[in-house]
Amino acid sequence: MGGIYEGVQACVTNHLHREILHISCGAHNSNLAVEYACNCSVEYINLFMLLQELYNYFTLSIKRCHVLREALDKSPYGLNIKSLSNTGWTANYESIHAVIESYDGIIYCFQLIEEGEQFDKESKLQGKNLRNKFISYEVIVLLKFMKNITRTTNSLTAHLQAKQLNILSSMELITNTLKLIEMMRNDDQSLKNILLLGEKHIEPYDVDIDKEFNRLRRIDPKPATVVQLTRESFYLKLFREIFDHLYKTYSGFLNVLNEKLQWFVNVLHSRIENLTLNECQHMCELIPKLTSPPLLFKELQLLSDQIKECDNMNGMAKLLQECGHLYPKVSSIYNYILTLPNTTATNERSFSKMKIIKNYLRAKLTNDKLEYLLLCSV
């Protein structure tokens, strides 16, 4: 899409003989940030592999799945386990949330399978191995930590897909999320509380936490390179790795937005006083049918008092409905900003549905019928 030589952006730019802004999907970038952060260390990779292994174990057998459903139905907080997905933007959060809420019920299911006569030897052995992996202080701690992290990122992704959100407001949203991530990273007490909650949660299972930690963390035998970390220091360091990766990725995306939209930032109600003629000139180069930067600058100055009274871009839209015909150039600027897409999630879902509906078995599906089926599914 954004290829500078043969991408859609380059083709449209060459065809129209003017610069075309290409802004990648905000929700997709948020999902990629989480995906990259979860691959920052072996511990997180192992955690998500365990979650997928857990999902496969119960869903590949009707008997095992039935045992799990019965156990979770009896629990007031039980949630059915979810599969992980590379494309599902809420998959990580839903999977972690379900497992942490149903942790005791899942352990109980392993016990039922191990004692049940209707299960074969292989199922019992797999269940026993999974149970041993699952009853772990590290697993509990990382699940609780990742639940907090993915709740934050999932909230950002959901807000970025809101229909009422415009591109400038999405930049403010990402900025606020970065502040929240930085605050969470530097909150030592909250991070230590996660470790304490993990100790409390694993206590009924008689796990020797220090012994497990020493077994998993092999100490470098070389005196020159050895790094002695306590259990608390190790996990705090592990937590901050996620925060650092998220902060770096979100900051990179925000910098790209700032670079592409640098000429439009000062048309916000809170920054209209900082607008310059040079910015108006660049806006005229980007937006078609705007040929006079001085006139645009003058219109914005005349309307600045009313712009300041608007709380957000939605307020600006209402203002333009009332007096946009008197300020056509200002109206063009704000219409351009309000119509810049900050996510392509809806479009991508339509193509995904089309791929499911019109498969190789339905190659002769007519366009009219395909349209009706897409409307039903989307």
Side-chain angles (χ1 to χ4, degrees):
M1 289 292 290
I4 60 174
Y5 298 112
E6 296 182 357
V8 175
Q9 180 188 8
C11 293
V12 176
T13 298
N14 294 333
H15 180 73
L16 298 178
H17 304 291
R18 62 182 178 85
E19 184 182 356
I20 301 296
L21 287 180
H22 173 263
I23 298 171
S24 56
C25 177
H28 186 61
N29 276 276
S30 179
N31 179 55
L32 289 177
V34 178
E35 185 179 341
Y36 294 154
C38 292
N39 292 329
C40 69
S41 71
V42 177
E43 287 78 12
Y44 294 110
I45 294 172
N46 290 339
L47 174 69
F48 285 103
M49 287 177 62
L50 178 61
L51 292 179
Q52 189 62 50
E53 190 178 352
L54 179 72
Y55 175 81
N56 293 339
Y57 176 76
F58 282 107
T59 55
L60 291 178
S61 167
I62 296 175
K63 292 181 181 179
R64 296 194 293 257
C65 188
H66 179 68
V67 170
L68 178 67
R69 286 184 179 275
E70 280 194 336
L72 297 184
D73 287 342
K74 296 176 183 177
S75 171
Y77 304 106
L79 294 174
N80 199 17
I81 55 177
K82 304 286 185 178
S83 174
L84 296 176
S85 171
N86 291 329
T87 56
W89 292 333
T90 61
N92 287 344
Y93 172 70
E94 290 176 352
S95 177
I96 292 169
H97 181 61
V99 169
I100 200 67
E101 292 294 332
S102 309
Y103 184 86
D104 296 326
I106 294 171
I107 298 297
Y108 178 65
C109 287
F110 285 131
Q111 184 179 347
L112 292 178
I113 292 171
E114 193 173 347
E115 297 173 355
E117 296 180 357
Q118 70 271 32
F119 297 101
D120 56 21
K121 186 177 180 180
E122 185 179 355
S123 292
K124 292 181 179 181
L125 183 60
Q126 288 179 357
K128 185 178 180 180
N129 291 335
L130 263 177
R131 183 176 181 273
N132 292 336
K133 291 180 184 178
F134 210 57
I135 300 178
S136 164
Y137 172 75
E138 182 167 295
V139 169
I140 288 287
V141 165
L142 293 184
L143 281 173
K144 289 184 178 294
F145 170 69
M146 288 305 300
K147 179 185 174 183
N148 294 338
I149 290 292
T150 51
R151 184 195 293 121
T152 303
T153 56
N154 188 55
S155 176
L156 173 63
T157 303
H159 280 90
L160 287 174
Q161 296 179 67
K163 293 182 179 179
Q164 296 81 7
L165 191 69
N166 60 79
I167 193 67
L168 295 181
S169 298
S170 68
M171 291 171 64
E172 293 182 358
L173 185 62
I174 296 171
T175 303
N176 293 333
T177 303
L178 284 171
K179 292 178 182 177
L180 178 61
I181 290 173
E182 187 175 11
M183 183 182 70
M184 292 170 68
R185 184 197 185 280
N186 297 327
D187 191 353
D188 287 346
Q189 190 57 49
S190 295
L191 297 179
K192 291 176 182 178
N193 286 340
I194 294 175
L195 300 179
L196 294 175
L197 288 172
E199 293 177 9
K200 187 177 180 180
H201 199 146
I202 204 68
E203 188 176 353
Y205 299 101
D206 297 327
V207 174
D208 190 336
I209 299 174
D210 292 323
K211 184 178 179 180
E212 177 193 312
F213 176 74
N214 293 329
R215 176 175 58 83
L216 295 175
R217 310 278 87 75
R218 295 180 180 177
I219 305 299
D220 191 347
K222 299 178 181 179
T225 57
V226 66
V227 177
Q228 294 286 353
L229 287 176
T230 62
R231 176 162 51 87
E232 181 181 284
S233 301
F234 174 80
Y235 285 112
L236 291 181
K237 178 176 176 291
L238 205 60
F239 294 163
R240 291 194 173 98
E241 285 182 5
I242 285 280
F243 286 123
D244 292 340
H245 276 76
L246 285 175
Y247 193 90
K248 181 180 178 181
T249 311
Y250 282 134
S251 296
F253 179 55
L254 184 62
N255 290 336
V256 171
L257 291 179
N258 282 325
E259 183 181 350
K260 292 187 175 183
L261 300 171
Q262 57 182 319
W263 314 116
F264 296 92
V265 174
N266 285 334
V267 299
L268 287 169
H269 64 281
S270 58
R271 303 183 60 173
I272 191 66
E273 292 180 349
N274 302 327
L275 188 71
T276 63
L277 181 60
N278 182 45
E279 290 171 337
C280 291
Q281 184 175 352
H282 282 90
M283 285 189 282
C284 289
E285 292 174 0
L286 288 170
I287 301 175
K289 298 181 181 179
L290 281 182
T291 55
S292 179
L295 284 177
L296 172 62
F297 185 61
K298 192 65 178 177
E299 283 189 12
L300 285 166
Q301 283 183 323
L302 292 172
L303 202 59
S304 61
D305 291 335
Q306 292 171 273
I307 292 174
K308 291 176 187 176
E309 295 176 0
C310 299
D311 296 330
N312 48 40
M313 292 297 289
N314 292 331
M316 275 303 309
K318 293 179 181 178
L319 176 63
L320 292 175
Q321 287 178 352
E322 298 173 0
C323 59
H325 61 285
L326 301 174
Y327 304 93
K329 297 186 182 299
V330 174
S331 183
S332 297
I333 289 290
Y334 284 101
N335 285 335
Y336 182 81
I337 295 170
L338 290 169
T339 53
L340 276 176
N342 58 310
T343 179
T344 57
T346 306
N347 309 41
E348 291 180 12
R349 288 193 190 100
S350 300
F351 282 104
S352 298
K353 287 292 183 182
M354 184 176 68
K355 186 178 179 181
I356 294 171
I357 293 171
K358 192 169 183 178
N359 53 32
Y360 71 97
L361 295 175
R362 293 174 173 175
K364 294 185 178 181
L365 199 65
T366 62
N367 290 336
D368 290 338
K369 193 168 185 179
L370 176 62
E371 182 181 353
Y372 297 145
L373 291 173
L374 281 172
L375 287 173
C376 292
S377 61
V378 175

